Amino acid sequence: MAVRPIRLFGDPVLRSAADPIGRIDAAVHGLVADLIDTVRVPGRAGVAAPQIGVGLRAFSYNVDGVIGYVLNPELVEVRGDPEAVDEGCLSVPGFGFPRRRHPWARVVGIDLDGAAVDLSGDGLLAQALQHECDHLDGRLFIEGLDPEIKREAMRAVRQADWFARP
């Protein structure tokens, strides 16, 4: 289908919880194709539907050469004490900050055929699963930063040339 433009910090779609996908129709098939095409761009580990302007619970991932998607994902399990990992976001381009994430995560959902998907892993996959599920709940990674780092991050974002000023 198409590589879709990424919505940037400040876009209201990024701050709203995404709706569950009901009927899997041609539009949902098109959404998945666009999510897959959009995550294939080098340097991308995940893309949530709200990041391409669609308020539905779906994301794609591209970790260690494995590309896939999950519909109606729910983060059902995390393991290990949260650790600070460098994290960035396509919706906050050009920035990375230390963000605490659990070292292991598990997501369940469905695929385009309605079959169960059970996806788990550690490292970058665990980070991506938590990050993308946050997007679907209307949260950006900046919100989970330690307070001092969050202040620094917000100051930097407000000075970025892409930031839309009122």
Side-chain angles (χ1 to χ4, degrees):
M1 294 289 277
V3 174
R4 302 264 298 266
I6 300 294
R7 300 293 181 99
L8 300 178
F9 179 90
D11 189 314
V13 73
L14 297 173
R15 304 291 292 178
S16 301
D19 294 326
I21 292 171
R23 196 168 134 252
I24 298 174
D25 57 13
V28 173
H29 280 263
L31 170 62
V32 168
D34 288 352
L35 285 168
I36 295 292
D37 286 349
T38 304
V39 83
R40 283 185 194 277
V41 174
R44 294 181 174 178
V47 176
Q51 289 182 282
I52 60 171
V54 180
L56 293 175
R57 292 192 71 81
F59 70 76
S60 58
Y61 59 91
N62 183 356
V63 177
D64 297 329
V66 177
I67 296 173
Y69 69 94
V70 184
L71 304 179
N72 292 333
E74 295 295 332
L75 184 65
V76 295
E77 187 179 1
V78 292
R79 291 187 195 155
D81 292 330
E83 303 168 351
V85 292
D86 287 332
E87 189 164 319
C89 180
L90 299 172
S91 295
V92 187
F95 295 103
F97 299 97
R99 168 73 158 82
R100 294 190 162 290
R101 294 287 187 189
H102 295 276
W104 186 90
R106 178 174 166 234
V107 163
V108 297
I110 59 172
D111 65 14
L112 285 169
D113 296 321
V117 172
D118 192 327
L119 180 63
S120 63
D122 57 8
L124 182 58
L125 180 58
Q127 184 180 358
L129 295 176
Q130 293 167 81
H131 182 108
E132 301 313 324
C133 284
D134 280 350
H135 272 301
L136 300 178
D137 292 333
R139 293 188 308 264
L140 290 170
F141 89 106
I142 287 178
E143 294 173 53
L145 298 175
D146 290 336
E148 284 181 31
I149 296 170
K150 183 177 179 180
R151 279 191 295 280
E152 171 191 331
M154 292 306 298
R155 188 171 24 258
V157 166
R158 284 190 293 272
Q159 294 173 357
D161 13 340
W162 55 261
F163 182 70
R165 288 157 185 81

